[in-house]
């Protein structure tokens, strides 16, 4: 992942973040790291949020906001 802070901001703003150029296993690990980083960043700012990972039809993973 090029810039974690930029990816966290995009995930928080857009509600999802898809990776380019990663394999299926790599995308799963990256999405997990990104979701955790976004929740930690929100908690530092006093915001309760939920992010997780999802899989598309081709088997690639992405980070997404979970609405409850």
């Amino acid at each position: 992942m090029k810039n974690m802070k930029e990816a966290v901001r995009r995930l928080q703003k857009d509600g999802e973040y898809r990776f380019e150029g990663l394999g299926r296993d790599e995308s799963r690990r990256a999405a997990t790291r990104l979701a955790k980083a976004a929740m930690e960043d929100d908690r530092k700012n006093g915001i309760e949020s939920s992010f997780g990972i999802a899989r598309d039809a081709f088997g690639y993973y992405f980070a997404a906001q979970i609405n409850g």
Side-chain angles (χ1 to χ4, degrees):
M1 200 173 321
K2 293 180 182 176
N3 186 348
M4 180 65 90
K5 286 186 179 183
E6 180 181 324
V8 166
R9 296 291 178 234
R10 256 186 65 202
L11 175 57
Q12 291 168 329
K13 180 181 176 218
D14 299 339
E16 73 177 40
Y17 185 90
R18 294 181 184 263
F19 301 92
E20 296 177 10
L22 297 180
R24 287 177 177 92
D25 290 333
E26 293 171 313
S27 69
R28 183 180 183 137
R29 287 189 297 269
T32 301
R33 274 195 321 255
L34 180 57
K36 287 180 182 179
M39 286 190 293
E40 288 173 8
D41 185 64
D42 278 350
R43 285 189 187 111
K44 282 189 230 176
N45 296 314
I47 300 169
E48 280 296 317
S49 64
S50 258
F51 293 98
I53 64 171
R55 189 172 68 185
D56 66 14
F58 301 105
Y60 294 93
Y61 291 86
F62 60 96
Q65 184 174 17
I66 301 170
N67 295 324

